[in-house]
Amino acid sequence: MRIWGAAALILFLASCSGAIVPPPIERGAPSRAPASGGLPPARQPTPATPIVPMPSGGGAGGGAGSAALAGLVAGPAIASLPVSDAQAARALDAFRTSCPSLVRRADASGLTTGADWQPACDAANAVSDRDARAFFSRWFEADQVGDGRAYATGYFIPEVRASRQRSHGYEVPIYGRPADLVDVDLGQFVDSLNGKKIRGRVSGDTLVPYYDRSEIEAGAIANSAPVIAWGADPAAVVFLQVQGSGELRLRDGSIMRVGYADQNGRDYTGIGKLMLDRGLIGHGEASMQGIVAWLRAHPDQGREIMQENQSFVFFRPLDGPAVGALGLPVAGGASIAVDPKFVPMGAPVFLSMDRTDATGIWIAQDTGGAIKGANRFDTFWGAGDNAAAIAGGMSAHGTAFVLLPKGTLARLPAGG
């Protein structure tokens, strides 16, 4: 699964993402965010006018169990969509990466089968990047799920100052997976609970909820979980958990990459919303950068607020490229987290948003704890100052169309 991170005010308000692995810096990538924990200012977006959603007899689709139940309507011709050659080429490259999983994976959305994707995947391997826009027009149709009204946040790979040994100034544990954490697949016991999981620990002969954040920070897992490293800044470590992966800048200057290993099973609470509701920050300060700055300026009060989010993420060291929920590499500016009940994992998605940087073709390669519903997305931006500036302020509204193999809509039952 993907990380918990998201972005902007939603990053701490209610966002999420699954567990990604930090990717290597791409050619031309900007420098990383300062290891001191400083973040570049949130980037001011260039406004754009989204495409108007297609008329739909259904609702938003969030209450339906899948895209097939939420309802699908035909969208505009793909050739008419505003996609740059460069963005289409990035999406094509990410789509190629997804194909091995896409053609063999069961589609939880109920829209496609693996075989439906095989012709497009075969073609993707034969087409050049300069023909990417034509490729998407040739092999796909744009379909709207539910009312199509989309909301997108963003996530990236943060850098956190840390040490392998505990010492003065480095006293915040970054835990690995505890030995007593138990994952239970409820579908193995009751068919109607297929796909549902819980986490807990065994106390005597009973499975009980796992320790929450406040209990963990009080030392409840000190003897059951390894400490991968010690962070210098409590706010930065909590933010690392929100994002779900990151890079630890060690005292000798080296980098340790860490990614999501597991989570304590407790519900995620977006602390940004708590801070807004209590008047601790204003809407103009509700970006990732503004929230982190407030937490650092008010460490005692900030600690109490952070503990109201009972969710706690555990990490593992990494040495490979970034991977998302498919277990495949993700790419900044091309990968997106989705709810797999509404978007086939590996499928292209076109977002037409009220800001230009979020508009374009994205590939569904990740999931997230707060990414729920037919038209909720989390865009991935990679590592570095540029990624932090975009993701930290990403809060985009508009319209979404899932790009499905041609003929998909015609095959579905009427109204499905």
mmCIF file of all heavy atoms in Angstrom, residues 33-77:
data_model
loop_
_atom_site.group_PDB
_atom_site.id
_atom_site.type_symbol
_atom_site.label_atom_id
_atom_site.label_comp_id
_atom_site.label_asym_id
_atom_site.label_seq_id
_atom_site.Cartn_x
_atom_site.Cartn_y
_atom_site.Cartn_z
ATOM 1 N N ALA A 33 15.057 19.401 -0.502
ATOM 2 C CA ALA A 33 14.680 20.335 0.551
ATOM 3 C C ALA A 33 15.749 20.315 1.633
ATOM 4 O O ALA A 33 16.366 19.291 1.894
ATOM 5 C CB ALA A 33 13.328 19.937 1.142
ATOM 6 N N PRO A 34 16.035 21.433 2.272
ATOM 7 C CA PRO A 34 17.113 21.505 3.257
ATOM 8 C C PRO A 34 16.965 20.454 4.348
ATOM 9 O O PRO A 34 15.879 20.224 4.862
ATOM 10 C CB PRO A 34 16.962 22.921 3.837
ATOM 11 C CG PRO A 34 16.245 23.693 2.769
ATOM 12 C CD PRO A 34 15.336 22.702 2.115
ATOM 13 N N ALA A 35 18.088 19.799 4.690
ATOM 14 C CA ALA A 35 18.056 18.753 5.708
ATOM 15 C C ALA A 35 17.725 19.309 7.079
ATOM 16 O O ALA A 35 17.389 18.569 7.983
ATOM 17 C CB ALA A 35 19.400 18.025 5.756
ATOM 18 N N SER A 36 17.817 20.602 7.246
ATOM 19 C CA SER A 36 17.456 21.209 8.521
ATOM 20 C C SER A 36 15.973 21.079 8.795
ATOM 21 O O SER A 36 15.497 21.327 9.886
ATOM 22 C CB SER A 36 17.827 22.696 8.515
ATOM 23 O OG SER A 36 17.073 23.375 7.527
ATOM 24 N N GLY A 37 15.232 20.646 7.785
ATOM 25 C CA GLY A 37 13.793 20.527 7.949
ATOM 26 C C GLY A 37 13.065 21.701 7.344
ATOM 27 O O GLY A 37 11.850 21.737 7.290
ATOM 28 N N GLY A 38 13.826 22.715 6.861
ATOM 29 C CA GLY A 38 13.188 23.852 6.231
ATOM 30 C C GLY A 38 12.509 23.437 4.939
ATOM 31 O O GLY A 38 12.973 22.545 4.241
ATOM 32 N N LEU A 39 11.410 24.095 4.617
ATOM 33 C CA LEU A 39 10.671 23.781 3.410
ATOM 34 C C LEU A 39 10.563 25.026 2.550
ATOM 35 O O LEU A 39 10.366 26.124 3.075
ATOM 36 C CB LEU A 39 9.265 23.265 3.753
ATOM 37 C CG LEU A 39 9.197 21.903 4.439
ATOM 38 C CD1 LEU A 39 7.798 21.671 4.997
ATOM 39 C CD2 LEU A 39 9.559 20.801 3.474
ATOM 40 N N PRO A 40 10.692 24.887 1.243
ATOM 41 C CA PRO A 40 10.498 26.049 0.376
ATOM 42 C C PRO A 40 9.049 26.495 0.437
ATOM 43 O O PRO A 40 8.157 25.699 0.729
ATOM 44 C CB PRO A 40 10.867 25.506 -1.008
ATOM 45 C CG PRO A 40 10.590 24.038 -0.918
ATOM 46 C CD PRO A 40 10.950 23.652 0.484
ATOM 47 N N PRO A 41 8.789 27.755 0.167
ATOM 48 C CA PRO A 41 7.400 28.234 0.201
ATOM 49 C C PRO A 41 6.528 27.468 -0.787
ATOM 50 O O PRO A 41 7.002 27.020 -1.830
ATOM 51 C CB PRO A 41 7.529 29.712 -0.200
ATOM 52 C CG PRO A 41 8.954 30.062 0.059
ATOM 53 C CD PRO A 41 9.745 28.816 -0.172
ATOM 54 N N ALA A 42 5.260 27.315 -0.432
ATOM 55 C CA ALA A 42 4.328 26.666 -1.345
ATOM 56 C C ALA A 42 4.245 27.474 -2.636
ATOM 57 O O ALA A 42 4.184 28.703 -2.617
ATOM 58 C CB ALA A 42 2.947 26.561 -0.703
ATOM 59 N N ARG A 43 4.270 26.771 -3.755
ATOM 60 C CA ARG A 43 4.231 27.456 -5.044
ATOM 61 C C ARG A 43 2.839 27.990 -5.330
ATOM 62 O O ARG A 43 1.844 27.289 -5.161
ATOM 63 C CB ARG A 43 4.651 26.492 -6.143
ATOM 64 C CG ARG A 43 4.423 27.060 -7.519
ATOM 65 C CD ARG A 43 5.482 26.770 -8.534
ATOM 66 N NE ARG A 43 6.794 26.507 -8.022
ATOM 67 C CZ ARG A 43 7.601 25.635 -8.614
ATOM 68 N NH1 ARG A 43 7.191 24.964 -9.656
ATOM 69 N NH2 ARG A 43 8.815 25.442 -8.154
ATOM 70 N N GLN A 44 2.776 29.222 -5.775
ATOM 71 C CA GLN A 44 1.508 29.796 -6.187
ATOM 72 C C GLN A 44 1.141 29.238 -7.561
ATOM 73 O O GLN A 44 1.935 29.312 -8.488
ATOM 74 C CB GLN A 44 1.597 31.314 -6.236
ATOM 75 C CG GLN A 44 1.811 31.949 -4.873
ATOM 76 C CD GLN A 44 0.700 31.579 -3.890
ATOM 77 O OE1 GLN A 44 -0.482 31.742 -4.187
ATOM 78 N NE2 GLN A 44 1.085 31.070 -2.725
ATOM 79 N N PRO A 45 -0.046 28.669 -7.692
ATOM 80 C CA PRO A 45 -0.394 28.002 -8.950
ATOM 81 C C PRO A 45 -0.753 28.984 -10.059
ATOM 82 O O PRO A 45 -1.155 30.127 -9.801
ATOM 83 C CB PRO A 45 -1.617 27.166 -8.562
ATOM 84 C CG PRO A 45 -2.259 27.945 -7.453
ATOM 85 C CD PRO A 45 -1.108 28.543 -6.682
ATOM 86 N N THR A 46 -0.604 28.515 -11.296
ATOM 87 C CA THR A 46 -1.133 29.235 -12.443
ATOM 88 C C THR A 46 -2.563 28.767 -12.652
ATOM 89 O O THR A 46 -2.796 27.578 -12.876
ATOM 90 C CB THR A 46 -0.309 28.937 -13.710
ATOM 91 O OG1 THR A 46 1.047 29.342 -13.493
ATOM 92 C CG2 THR A 46 -0.878 29.671 -14.920
ATOM 93 N N PRO A 47 -3.546 29.660 -12.544
ATOM 94 C CA PRO A 47 -4.950 29.234 -12.630
ATOM 95 C C PRO A 47 -5.286 28.657 -13.997
ATOM 96 O O PRO A 47 -4.680 29.008 -15.015
ATOM 97 C CB PRO A 47 -5.736 30.527 -12.363
ATOM 98 C CG PRO A 47 -4.764 31.443 -11.685
ATOM 99 C CD PRO A 47 -3.426 31.111 -12.264
ATOM 100 N N ALA A 48 -6.252 27.762 -14.020
ATOM 101 C CA ALA A 48 -6.760 27.168 -15.251
ATOM 102 C C ALA A 48 -8.260 26.964 -15.101
ATOM 103 O O ALA A 48 -8.785 26.936 -13.981
ATOM 104 C CB ALA A 48 -6.056 25.844 -15.547
ATOM 105 N N THR A 49 -8.936 26.836 -16.219
ATOM 106 C CA THR A 49 -10.385 26.605 -16.204
ATOM 107 C C THR A 49 -10.659 25.137 -16.514
ATOM 108 O O THR A 49 -10.354 24.675 -17.615
ATOM 109 C CB THR A 49 -11.103 27.485 -17.235
ATOM 110 O OG1 THR A 49 -10.824 28.863 -16.948
ATOM 111 C CG2 THR A 49 -12.603 27.250 -17.200
ATOM 112 N N PRO A 50 -11.209 24.385 -15.576
ATOM 113 C CA PRO A 50 -11.443 22.956 -15.809
ATOM 114 C C PRO A 50 -12.545 22.723 -16.849
ATOM 115 O O PRO A 50 -13.432 23.562 -17.049
ATOM 116 C CB PRO A 50 -11.879 22.429 -14.437
ATOM 117 C CG PRO A 50 -11.518 23.487 -13.460
ATOM 118 C CD PRO A 50 -11.573 24.782 -14.206
ATOM 119 N N ILE A 51 -12.495 21.570 -17.480
ATOM 120 C CA ILE A 51 -13.572 21.124 -18.349
ATOM 121 C C ILE A 51 -14.819 20.900 -17.494
ATOM 122 O O ILE A 51 -14.745 20.385 -16.375
ATOM 123 C CB ILE A 51 -13.176 19.810 -19.051
ATOM 124 C CG1 ILE A 51 -11.992 20.056 -19.989
ATOM 125 C CG2 ILE A 51 -14.352 19.201 -19.812
ATOM 126 C CD1 ILE A 51 -11.425 18.779 -20.580
ATOM 127 N N VAL A 52 -15.961 21.288 -17.999
ATOM 128 C CA VAL A 52 -17.212 21.078 -17.272
ATOM 129 C C VAL A 52 -17.543 19.587 -17.269
ATOM 130 O O VAL A 52 -17.446 18.927 -18.305
ATOM 131 C CB VAL A 52 -18.355 21.874 -17.926
ATOM 132 C CG1 VAL A 52 -19.686 21.595 -17.228
ATOM 133 C CG2 VAL A 52 -18.042 23.369 -17.901
ATOM 134 N N PRO A 53 -17.911 19.014 -16.106
ATOM 135 C CA PRO A 53 -18.253 17.590 -16.068
ATOM 136 C C PRO A 53 -19.425 17.262 -16.997
ATOM 137 O O PRO A 53 -20.280 18.104 -17.275
ATOM 138 C CB PRO A 53 -18.636 17.350 -14.602
ATOM 139 C CG PRO A 53 -17.996 18.459 -13.851
ATOM 140 C CD PRO A 53 -17.998 19.640 -14.779
ATOM 141 N N MET A 54 -19.439 16.027 -17.459
ATOM 142 C CA MET A 54 -20.534 15.565 -18.289
ATOM 143 C C MET A 54 -21.795 15.376 -17.433
ATOM 144 O O MET A 54 -21.690 15.004 -16.258
ATOM 145 C CB MET A 54 -20.160 14.239 -18.953
ATOM 146 C CG MET A 54 -18.956 14.348 -19.868
ATOM 147 S SD MET A 54 -19.304 15.447 -21.240
ATOM 148 C CE MET A 54 -17.644 15.699 -21.901
ATOM 149 N N PRO A 55 -22.973 15.626 -17.991
ATOM 150 C CA PRO A 55 -24.205 15.359 -17.225
ATOM 151 C C PRO A 55 -24.245 13.907 -16.780
ATOM 152 O O PRO A 55 -23.913 12.997 -17.538
ATOM 153 C CB PRO A 55 -25.315 15.663 -18.236
ATOM 154 C CG PRO A 55 -24.688 16.565 -19.233
ATOM 155 C CD PRO A 55 -23.248 16.139 -19.336
ATOM 156 N N SER A 56 -24.610 13.695 -15.541
ATOM 157 C CA SER A 56 -24.626 12.340 -14.992
ATOM 158 C C SER A 56 -25.860 12.154 -14.137
ATOM 159 O O SER A 56 -26.227 13.029 -13.357
ATOM 160 C CB SER A 56 -23.374 12.091 -14.143
ATOM 161 O OG SER A 56 -23.457 10.878 -13.441
ATOM 162 N N GLY A 57 -26.485 10.995 -14.279
ATOM 163 C CA GLY A 57 -27.665 10.702 -13.480
ATOM 164 C C GLY A 57 -27.322 10.281 -12.076
ATOM 165 O O GLY A 57 -28.169 10.259 -11.190
ATOM 166 N N GLY A 58 -26.034 9.928 -11.860
ATOM 167 C CA GLY A 58 -25.626 9.469 -10.539
ATOM 168 C C GLY A 58 -25.098 10.595 -9.693
ATOM 169 O O GLY A 58 -25.022 11.747 -10.100
ATOM 170 N N GLY A 59 -24.716 10.243 -8.472
ATOM 171 C CA GLY A 59 -24.129 11.223 -7.572
ATOM 172 C C GLY A 59 -22.630 11.226 -7.723
ATOM 173 O O GLY A 59 -22.075 10.845 -8.742
ATOM 174 N N ALA A 60 -21.962 11.644 -6.659
ATOM 175 C CA ALA A 60 -20.502 11.729 -6.695
ATOM 176 C C ALA A 60 -19.864 10.371 -6.839
ATOM 177 O O ALA A 60 -18.752 10.245 -7.319
ATOM 178 C CB ALA A 60 -19.999 12.422 -5.433
ATOM 179 N N GLY A 61 -20.563 9.320 -6.411
ATOM 180 C CA GLY A 61 -20.017 7.977 -6.525
ATOM 181 C C GLY A 61 -19.292 7.502 -5.294
ATOM 182 O O GLY A 61 -18.929 6.346 -5.188
ATOM 183 N N GLY A 62 -19.056 8.406 -4.331
ATOM 184 C CA GLY A 62 -18.314 8.021 -3.145
ATOM 185 C C GLY A 62 -19.022 6.987 -2.305
ATOM 186 O O GLY A 62 -18.400 6.186 -1.633
ATOM 187 N N GLY A 63 -20.367 6.969 -2.325
ATOM 188 C CA GLY A 63 -21.094 6.007 -1.519
ATOM 189 C C GLY A 63 -21.256 4.663 -2.185
ATOM 190 O O GLY A 63 -21.663 3.701 -1.548
ATOM 191 N N ALA A 64 -20.954 4.580 -3.479
ATOM 192 C CA ALA A 64 -21.049 3.318 -4.193
ATOM 193 C C ALA A 64 -19.841 2.452 -3.866
ATOM 194 O O ALA A 64 -18.793 2.939 -3.459
ATOM 195 C CB ALA A 64 -21.133 3.577 -5.696
ATOM 196 N N GLY A 65 -20.004 1.150 -4.081
ATOM 197 C CA GLY A 65 -18.921 0.235 -3.747
ATOM 198 C C GLY A 65 -17.853 0.123 -4.807
ATOM 199 O O GLY A 65 -16.769 -0.385 -4.549
ATOM 200 N N SER A 66 -18.142 0.570 -6.017
ATOM 201 C CA SER A 66 -17.181 0.477 -7.100
ATOM 202 C C SER A 66 -17.571 1.443 -8.200
ATOM 203 O O SER A 66 -18.668 2.013 -8.200
ATOM 204 C CB SER A 66 -17.141 -0.946 -7.655
ATOM 205 O OG SER A 66 -18.357 -1.254 -8.332
ATOM 206 N N ALA A 67 -16.673 1.609 -9.174
ATOM 207 C CA ALA A 67 -16.963 2.487 -10.303
ATOM 208 C C ALA A 67 -18.141 1.974 -11.103
ATOM 209 O O ALA A 67 -18.961 2.753 -11.596
ATOM 210 C CB ALA A 67 -15.727 2.608 -11.193
ATOM 211 N N ALA A 68 -18.233 0.649 -11.244
ATOM 212 C CA ALA A 68 -19.335 0.084 -12.017
ATOM 213 C C ALA A 68 -20.679 0.429 -11.390
ATOM 214 O O ALA A 68 -21.674 0.639 -12.092
ATOM 215 C CB ALA A 68 -19.165 -1.433 -12.118
ATOM 216 N N LEU A 69 -20.722 0.521 -10.054
ATOM 217 C CA LEU A 69 -21.962 0.874 -9.370
ATOM 218 C C LEU A 69 -22.179 2.384 -9.333
ATOM 219 O O LEU A 69 -23.321 2.851 -9.293
ATOM 220 C CB LEU A 69 -21.940 0.316 -7.946
ATOM 221 C CG LEU A 69 -21.899 -1.216 -7.828
ATOM 222 C CD1 LEU A 69 -21.756 -1.622 -6.368
ATOM 223 C CD2 LEU A 69 -23.139 -1.840 -8.441
ATOM 224 N N ALA A 70 -21.100 3.148 -9.334
ATOM 225 C CA ALA A 70 -21.222 4.602 -9.280
ATOM 226 C C ALA A 70 -21.790 5.167 -10.572
ATOM 227 O O ALA A 70 -22.408 6.231 -10.578
ATOM 228 C CB ALA A 70 -19.864 5.242 -8.983
ATOM 229 N N GLY A 71 -21.575 4.464 -11.680
ATOM 230 C CA GLY A 71 -22.066 4.937 -12.963
ATOM 231 C C GLY A 71 -20.968 5.551 -13.803
ATOM 232 O O GLY A 71 -20.081 6.247 -13.293
ATOM 233 N N LEU A 72 -21.003 5.274 -15.091
ATOM 234 C CA LEU A 72 -19.987 5.724 -16.024
ATOM 235 C C LEU A 72 -20.671 6.408 -17.191
ATOM 236 O O LEU A 72 -21.675 5.926 -17.709
ATOM 237 C CB LEU A 72 -19.193 4.499 -16.519
ATOM 238 C CG LEU A 72 -17.734 4.681 -16.918
ATOM 239 C CD1 LEU A 72 -16.909 5.073 -15.697
ATOM 240 C CD2 LEU A 72 -17.196 3.390 -17.515
ATOM 241 N N VAL A 73 -20.150 7.559 -17.602
ATOM 242 C CA VAL A 73 -20.661 8.241 -18.786
ATOM 243 C C VAL A 73 -19.484 8.615 -19.675
ATOM 244 O O VAL A 73 -18.355 8.785 -19.200
ATOM 245 C CB VAL A 73 -21.467 9.509 -18.428
ATOM 246 C CG1 VAL A 73 -22.724 9.153 -17.642
ATOM 247 C CG2 VAL A 73 -20.611 10.498 -17.653
ATOM 248 N N ALA A 74 -19.761 8.727 -20.959
ATOM 249 C CA ALA A 74 -18.699 9.043 -21.922
ATOM 250 C C ALA A 74 -18.194 10.463 -21.711
ATOM 251 O O ALA A 74 -18.970 11.397 -21.484
ATOM 252 C CB ALA A 74 -19.214 8.867 -23.341
ATOM 253 N N GLY A 75 -16.887 10.629 -21.811
ATOM 254 C CA GLY A 75 -16.265 11.938 -21.712
ATOM 255 C C GLY A 75 -15.907 12.479 -23.078
ATOM 256 O O GLY A 75 -16.322 11.936 -24.106
ATOM 257 N N PRO A 76 -15.112 13.535 -23.123
ATOM 258 C CA PRO A 76 -14.731 14.135 -24.401
ATOM 259 C C PRO A 76 -13.728 13.267 -25.165
ATOM 260 O O PRO A 76 -13.124 12.344 -24.603
ATOM 261 C CB PRO A 76 -14.104 15.465 -23.985
ATOM 262 C CG PRO A 76 -13.588 15.210 -22.608
ATOM 263 C CD PRO A 76 -14.556 14.262 -21.971
ATOM 264 N N ALA A 77 -13.549 13.568 -26.435
ATOM 265 C CA ALA A 77 -12.533 12.884 -27.236
ATOM 266 C C ALA A 77 -11.157 13.183 -26.645
ATOM 267 O O ALA A 77 -10.845 14.331 -26.303
ATOM 268 C CB ALA A 77 -12.608 13.343 -28.682
#
